[in-house]
Amino acid sequence: PGPGALGEASMAPRRKKSDAPTVTFDVKARYKYLTGFRKRKKERQRKGHLQVMEKERQDRISVMREHREEVKKRWKELQWAERRADKLFGGNLALEDPDAPGSRRRKRQKAALLASAAAETEGELAAIASSAAGAEGDPVTVAFAAEDGDPFGDCEVTTTVGAVG
């Protein structure tokens, strides 16, 4: 007879119960893992796109900051050069736009125009006074044409022409 037939111990070792963790099969987790490839891929692409957008934004910010600093630097250099020129040549030689509203050139042009207009008006008044018929002290009406920037243009003025005496 063979081994183990008469109650003899079999030669196969007995398995002992171990304290090792057991593996359980979760059907829902497997299904979620298998069907989630597309979702996870889209999420990675979205995160990458957001990172690229943020990097571009930071690049634009740094370019603007550098430009602003360059403008400030040039402005300071210009101010320094103006002060240096003033020291060397004396007086106020500040760089200015000759056609700007407050520039010296513009002020001189305006003063010359006003002076010529005043001379023309005096000449016109003298001509009107000499051509006015009547006795000295008679009222004379003078008409003025409308001009740009003249609040009193396009009006008539009645006056007496003559020496005040």
Side-chain angles (χ1 to χ4, degrees):
L6 297 173
E8 295 175 15
S10 71
M11 298 297 272
R14 272 190 159 203
R15 285 180 32 190
K16 294 181 183 177
K17 290 196 172 190
S18 66
D19 293 332
T22 60
V23 177
T24 57
F25 184 75
D26 188 1
V27 176
K28 289 182 182 178
R30 178 180 180 269
Y31 179 78
K32 186 176 179 182
Y33 172 75
L34 292 175
T35 59
F37 286 111
R38 183 175 183 183
K39 291 178 188 175
R40 290 191 298 273
K41 181 179 179 180
K42 290 291 184 186
E43 181 64 21
R44 285 192 308 269
Q45 287 176 344
R46 188 180 69 81
K47 283 183 180 179
H49 183 67
L50 289 175
Q51 286 177 349
V52 168
M53 287 176 53
E54 179 64 21
K55 184 173 182 338
E56 289 174 355
R57 180 179 157 271
Q58 291 299 329
D59 288 344
R60 283 193 308 271
I61 289 172
S62 67
V63 166
M64 287 188 295
R65 182 180 306 117
E66 290 170 4
H67 176 71
R68 193 169 37 247
E69 290 171 358
E70 182 67 25
V71 168
K72 286 180 183 178
K73 179 183 169 189
R74 287 183 181 175
W75 176 251
K76 287 180 182 179
E77 288 174 356
L78 178 66
Q79 294 298 315
W80 179 83
E82 285 180 359
R83 285 193 306 270
R84 180 95 173 133
D86 285 346
K87 282 183 182 179
L88 290 175
F89 298 112
N92 188 4
L93 297 177
L95 297 175
E96 61 183 32
D97 182 12
D99 296 326
S103 70
R104 286 186 228 128
R105 178 178 168 189
R106 184 82 168 215
K107 288 178 183 177
R108 284 193 303 266
Q109 288 174 346
K110 187 174 180 180
L113 285 174
L114 289 175
S116 65
E120 289 176 9
T121 305
E122 288 177 15
E124 289 174 2
L125 286 176
I128 292 171
S130 65
S131 67
E136 185 119 353
D138 287 343
V140 176
T141 302
V142 179
F144 293 95
E147 295 179 9
D148 290 339
D150 184 10
F152 300 108
D154 197 30
C155 65
E156 292 184 353
V157 176
T158 304
T159 182
T160 55
V161 179
V164 179

